Amino acid sequence: MNEAGGIERRDVRRLHPLTLVAGLGGVMRSLWGGLAAGAYFIVQQRWELAALIVGATLAVGLLRPLIRWLSFSWELGPDEIEMKSGVLGRNHRSIPFDRVQDVNVEQNVIARLLGLARVKLETGASAGDKNEDGVLDSIALADAEALRDLIRAHRAGDPVVMAADSDAPIEQAGEPAPVYAMDLRRLLLAGLFNFSLAVFGVLAGFTQTAGDLLGFDPFRRQFWLELGHAGQPFIAFILANRVVTALFGLATLVLVGLATGLLQTVLREFGFRLDRTETGFRRRRGLLTLTDVVLPLRRVQAAILATGPVRRHFGWTAVKLQSLARDSGHGGDHVVAPLATHDEADAILREMDWRPVAHADDWHRPSPAYVIVFLLFLVPFALAAAGAAYLTTDWHLLLVLALLGFLGITRILAWRRHRHRLDGDRLLVRSGFWRQRTVILPLARIQSIDLKRNFIDRRLGVSNLVLGVAGGSGFAHHGVAALPHDHALDLRDRLLDPVR
Amino acid sequence: MSDTDFSTLDHKLSEAIDPARPLLPPGMEPAEPAYRWLLTTQLLLTWLPFLVGALVIDNVVLADKPVQGVLSTIVGVLMIAIVLFVPLRIYRRLGFKLDPHLLRVVRGWLFHTDTMVPFVRVQHLDVARRPLDKVFGTASLVVHTAGTHNSIVTLPGLSPERAAAMRDEIRAEIRTDWQ
């Protein structure tokens, strides 16, 4: 049977030959060591050696992709895809369509010029190693789309649909309105909120230590002096006192931080569009590198509404879905809306047949032990820092105390935000001060429950519930902290109700 | 419901008579007594390198200094205290229970954890015997779920027969519809 993009079953196929061209940039990057060595010998005027090194590097560098291309083949079975690779050690991998978590079609700039696409089949296995999942790098875009439709149709439980009359791919003119999309204004706004605190911090430290070397230190008078003639009133005002100079330095760094966030956001989220398909969501985004992900709703483990103090003030939130597969680029939960109003977030949840988070007043707050236990664990560090400062008389160590105090304050703020609520067949958990998250976790997705208490918790009569949930990013676990012990036991029983 | 409240007079009395008596919520099975000695050996093996390191530092780096011997003494005393006090306390608080639909494991002294794993969520099971397990005649049952966190639940200190029997029991309950 002939598929839309010309994919035939039981037909051994290779990657697109132009893949070799598209990979040239990567090849050159991997060869720069050899080429640099060649350049060094050219400078030394040792021509034979230089020619030998450059020749050998190029030969190896160009042959390796060719051998890889020749040794790789893939074919479609009735309900699986098979990939064969390797020269010395042959590997034959088969991925059942049933186990594919999502299909990710990616195009970088070169691939777009050549009409190629990289297809990644996420299975959720070996989550740490990105190279280990099923990657076709690269095939023709039409083939990639046909393959995605094929796998998606299989998911719908109706593989026959994909036969002859499937010449109505999703991009056709009659495409229904998206569940969520970002216009340019929203995109730029998201960029502003994506203010890069990391870049700001790094730059601030950098100008303090290396600014002299580069001649870039907006905290110094000299920088502004050189920027214009000191006679101009504006510059003269800046130079008038150190405070103003420092303020302008700060403003410069803030601008750089804003620009970085804006650039990152525009590159990643440009043309963001979320559609409902018969089995789940389809997300397209990207300015230079286009990605096209199909996310089956059956595989969603939890929904996360993420926001921050500033964004929340203006009524914005991001919507993420946690599944076994990882989002490309982020390496965590799948972002289905980078910046949405509450109505838009609710609409997305409704499309999933999930109830929105309703207003309610039966949220439970954690006990003050949430803060006390944390502070008690900080005490040894504080004592050590104070002791060290006293012994070495290096009062910079007192900065550690300031840092610990800051941590304590953020913990108090987090405590004020933290709360949970059992909402029928799902658990809602709100947490965090700077990274505010509301997690919607269906009880049926809870894999295991730990009730943890350390020796301080026991004295204070509290317990922490830690929930095992599949997927998600490496460190953040879902759970409810610092519950009175009896409440924790009770909540655990109710969370386990569906499996009893 | 407070099923971990042990501060009763009755309990204190029995503790004085039998200090190795398991300290568990009602209805839970204790681990094999041999596990206590496995823990002791394990802690000894863990701390031995530190003691050797301290002795080396004392006799090489700190030789002929007034503080020579202090480090070794501290590490030695700490090691003896830990080996004497900790294994019994951990052993007494290690227990498990097979409910009709879930496995419950309680463990830990200073950092106590009470884990529940519904059988329907179990992905696969291991019965593991490390070298020390073989010496002391114990085994561990390892339960894997699909979770990223707490996805591995380990129940040590079982007799090999009991571990295998529990594995078979849970295996019979597993259904494959965790999605």
Side-chain angles (χ1 to χ4, degrees), chain A residues 99 324 444-455 458 466 468-471 474 476 485-486 489 492 496, chain B residues 1-4 101-102 104 109-116 118 120-121 145-150 178-179:
Chain A
R99 286 290 173 267
L324 278 190
R445 299 295 191 216
I446 296 176
Q447 308 284 333
S448 66
I449 301 183
D450 273 6
L451 190 135
K452 283 175 181 285
R453 51 196 326 212
N454 59 37
F455 50 98
R458 192 155 55 230
V466 178
V469 181
H485 189 58
D486 290 351
L489 289 173
R492 180 175 69 175
L496 284 171
Chain B
M1 55 186 276
S2 166
D3 60 357
T4 43
H101 300 293
L102 46 83
R104 182 175 177 198
W109 167 45
L110 287 180
F111 296 87
H112 189 77
T113 306
D114 181 345
T115 308
M116 282 191 176
V120 286
R121 303 279 182 256
T145 72
T148 314
H149 296 277
N150 313 332
W178 57 268
Q179 294 99 338

Side-chain angles (χ1 to χ4, degrees), chain A residues 223-286:
Chain A
F223 176 78
W224 298 100
L225 215 62
E226 284 163 8
L227 214 62
H229 298 295
Q232 286 173 0
F234 177 62
I235 299 293
F237 172 68
I238 291 179
L239 295 176
N241 57 49
R242 289 181 64 103
V243 177
V244 180
T245 313
L247 275 182
F248 268 80
L250 208 62
T252 313
L253 291 190
V254 167
L255 273 182
V256 174
L258 276 179
T260 311
L262 208 57
L263 192 69
Q264 272 181 350
T265 308
V266 169
L267 282 179
R268 194 174 56 222
E269 317 285 10
F270 184 82
F272 193 101
R273 186 188 164 98
L274 184 75
D275 291 291
R276 182 78 164 95
T277 67
E278 60 268 42
T279 50
F281 283 140
R282 174 179 183 212
R283 185 196 69 191
R284 281 167 286 179
R285 65 173 184 182

Side-chain angles (χ1 to χ4, degrees), chain A residues 14-311:
Chain A
R14 292 196 180 287
L15 301 176
H16 199 284
L18 281 178
T19 301
L20 294 171
V21 180
L24 274 183
V27 168
M28 286 305 156
R29 267 205 301 281
S30 67
L31 294 185
W32 73 269
L35 296 178
Y40 174 75
F41 285 118
I42 287 174
V43 171
Q44 300 260 306
Q45 310 225 323
R46 296 165 70 178
W47 305 107
E48 302 84 5
L49 203 54
L52 193 70
I53 288 181
V54 171
T57 319
L58 282 181
V60 171
L62 295 178
L63 267 180
R64 209 169 44 186
L66 187 65
I67 291 173
R68 199 177 297 154
W69 184 80
L70 283 173
S71 64
F72 188 96
S73 67
W74 60 283
E75 62 184 277
L76 285 175
D79 52 7
E80 63 177 355
I81 179 168
E82 293 179 34
M83 299 179 188
K84 294 176 188 168
S85 62
V87 181
L88 297 177
R90 287 289 280 172
N91 187 31
H92 185 156
R93 168 172 298 169
S94 59
I95 303 177
F97 292 157
D98 268 338
R99 286 290 173 267
V100 176
Q101 303 290 327
D102 70 29
V103 185
N104 194 341
V105 179
E106 258 180 52
Q107 285 185 288
N108 61 22
V109 183
I110 300 172
R112 280 169 76 183
L113 288 175
L114 299 174
L116 302 179
R118 188 177 123 105
V119 181
K120 219 161 84 187
L121 306 173
E122 295 271 11
T123 62
S126 61
D129 195 346
K130 292 200 171 194
N131 301 323
E132 285 300 308
D133 269 359
V135 177
L136 296 174
D137 186 12
S138 304
I139 58 177
L141 181 60
D143 285 353
E145 282 172 352
L147 178 65
R148 183 199 51 218
D149 292 349
L150 186 76
I151 294 175
R152 213 188 55 198
H154 183 85
R155 285 303 200 58
D158 192 10
V160 199
V161 175
M162 278 317 293
D165 56 351
S166 71
D167 48 352
I170 342 177
E171 268 99 336
Q172 292 273 310
E175 193 171 17
V179 176
Y180 171 85
M182 280 174 101
D183 55 13
L184 193 63
R185 205 168 143 250
R186 182 71 65 84
L187 182 70
L188 295 177
L189 196 60
L192 288 185
F193 283 124
N194 202 12
F195 171 73
S196 180
L197 209 62
V199 167
F200 178 78
V202 167
L203 271 184
F206 194 68
T207 49
Q208 294 304 305
T209 54
D212 288 344
L213 289 175
L214 302 174
F216 176 84
D217 187 351
F219 288 103
R220 293 180 63 135
R221 302 182 63 205
Q222 199 61 31
F223 176 78
W224 298 100
L225 215 62
E226 284 163 8
L227 214 62
H229 298 295
Q232 286 173 0
F234 177 62
I235 299 293
F237 172 68
I238 291 179
L239 295 176
N241 57 49
R242 289 181 64 103
V243 177
V244 180
T245 313
L247 275 182
F248 268 80
L250 208 62
T252 313
L253 291 190
V254 167
L255 273 182
V256 174
L258 276 179
T260 311
L262 208 57
L263 192 69
Q264 272 181 350
T265 308
V266 169
L267 282 179
R268 194 174 56 222
E269 317 285 10
F270 184 82
F272 193 101
R273 186 188 164 98
L274 184 75
D275 291 291
R276 182 78 164 95
T277 67
E278 60 268 42
T279 50
F281 283 140
R282 174 179 183 212
R283 185 196 69 191
R284 281 167 286 179
R285 65 173 184 182
L287 182 63
L288 299 178
T289 300
L290 291 180
T291 64
D292 184 342
V293 184
V294 171
L295 187 73
L297 289 187
R298 272 201 314 143
R299 308 283 163 148
V300 173
Q301 307 288 320
I304 297 156
L305 304 174
T307 182
V310 186
R311 272 181 294 171

Side-chain angles (χ1 to χ4, degrees), chain A residues 293-369:
Chain A
V293 184
V294 171
L295 187 73
L297 289 187
R298 272 201 314 143
R299 308 283 163 148
V300 173
Q301 307 288 320
I304 297 156
L305 304 174
T307 182
V310 186
R311 272 181 294 171
R312 197 166 71 95
H313 179 76
F314 292 106
W316 299 109
T317 178
V319 185
K320 301 175 180 182
L321 299 181
Q322 176 174 338
S323 80
L324 278 190
R326 280 152 172 252
D327 207 354
S328 60
H330 264 301
D333 308 318
H334 284 269
V335 177
V336 292
L339 191 67
T341 62
H342 289 302
D343 287 344
E344 285 167 338
D346 289 352
I348 291 173
L349 288 176
R350 264 191 221 100
E351 282 290 341
M352 298 165 60
D353 290 328
W354 286 29
R355 299 189 304 281
V357 179
H359 284 284
D361 44 14
D362 58 341
W363 290 85
H364 296 281
R365 304 242 346 248
S367 110

